[in-house]
Amino acid sequence: MCVTLCFFIVARVTSVNGEIFGVPSGLQAFFNTGLLGALITTIAASITWQLVASAFPMAFLSTPLTYILLRFCLFLEWTGLCQGAWVVARVHRKIARFKRDEVYVGSAEERAIQSLSLNPSYSKDADYEVKPGHMYPGVPTMPPNFVQRMRTLDDIAELERDLKAHKYDVDNRLKELQAEKAKLQGSEVQKLNV
């Protein structure tokens, strides 16, 4: 809120009514909006201090001015004036008589004890105890009564053609490998005889 207020104040202070530097009227209209002052304020008053604070946090926090501003900001935060959503939520809670989450669902400790009492063999690492070749828990699988869709005669004929073509390719590749193997074995025998 303080930074936003500073932006508006500096933008108003730095807005110029009248003509300066003899600039064209379009540029003068831009100067009159106060955006130039807001831009300078953004760079000088906001980003510069953030960079200083990140580079030298202890020196920045130990200055008296920073301490005073920090206390003032924490006071504003405490009042809730700057956070309308929290004020509306608090009013709604009073009207609707909401209670804390622990009343409805219990605390984290109570929920952990309840889950252990419902399933004593449960461990928090149970989700990762998966044996090779088995699915992770919670992964959807097909139901046991699932049957493959019915095939037509055309589907079966097409599958037969594909398998025969594949068998022909595999047989030819095996013949080529046998010939290459025999050739290599023949050259090894010749080397041994020499």
Side-chain angles (χ1 to χ4, degrees):
M1 184 174 137
C2 290
V3 173
T4 306
L5 183 65
C6 287
F7 287 162
F8 282 111
I9 292 172
V10 171
R12 189 65 193 138
V13 168
T14 57
S15 62
V16 179
N17 289 329
E19 196 171 315
I20 61 167
F21 305 125
V23 295
S25 60
L27 188 56
Q28 185 61 47
F30 174 71
F31 289 158
N32 292 344
T33 62
L35 289 174
L36 189 59
L39 182 66
I40 293 169
T41 306
T42 303
I43 294 169
S46 181
I47 297 173
T48 305
W49 293 108
Q50 290 176 19
L51 292 173
V52 170
S54 66
F56 309 104
M58 294 306 292
F60 181 77
L61 290 174
S62 64
T63 60
L65 179 63
T66 303
Y67 180 77
I68 292 168
L69 288 174
L70 179 64
R71 298 299 272 179
F72 177 69
C73 290
L74 288 175
F75 174 75
L76 281 178
E77 178 77 20
W78 174 80
T79 62
L81 292 174
C82 304
Q83 301 174 349
W86 289 107
V87 174
V88 171
R90 181 169 285 176
V91 170
H92 184 230
R93 185 179 75 183
K94 295 284 185 194
I95 292 170
R97 295 188 178 127
F98 288 138
K99 297 179 178 92
R100 296 185 61 81
D101 288 345
E102 286 80 10
V103 174
Y104 300 108
V105 296
S107 66
E109 294 83 12
E110 291 170 347
R111 291 192 308 268
I113 291 169
Q114 184 180 10
S115 68
L116 287 175
S117 67
L118 293 176
N119 186 4
S121 63
Y122 176 78
S123 81
K124 63 181 179 179
D125 296 327
D127 291 343
Y128 303 106
E129 294 172 4
V130 179
K131 295 183 173 103
H134 292 81
M135 297 289 281
Y136 281 100
V139 175
T141 57
M142 299 305 266
N145 59 355
F146 177 79
V147 292
Q148 202 169 13
R149 69 178 178 88
M150 297 299 292
R151 290 188 175 143
T152 63
L153 287 175
D154 292 335
D155 293 338
I156 293 173
E158 183 181 349
L159 183 60
E160 267 183 320
R161 282 192 299 273
D162 290 344
L163 289 174
K164 284 180 181 176
H166 184 67
K167 182 179 183 286
Y168 178 76
D169 291 340
V170 169
D171 289 342
N172 284 342
R173 182 71 180 133
L174 283 173
K175 286 178 187 174
E176 290 172 6
L177 288 174
Q178 288 296 334
E180 189 176 340
K181 184 178 174 182
K183 187 171 137 183
L184 288 174
Q185 285 176 342
S187 65
E188 290 293 322
V189 170
Q190 285 180 356
K191 285 181 185 177
L192 289 174
N193 288 339
V194 173

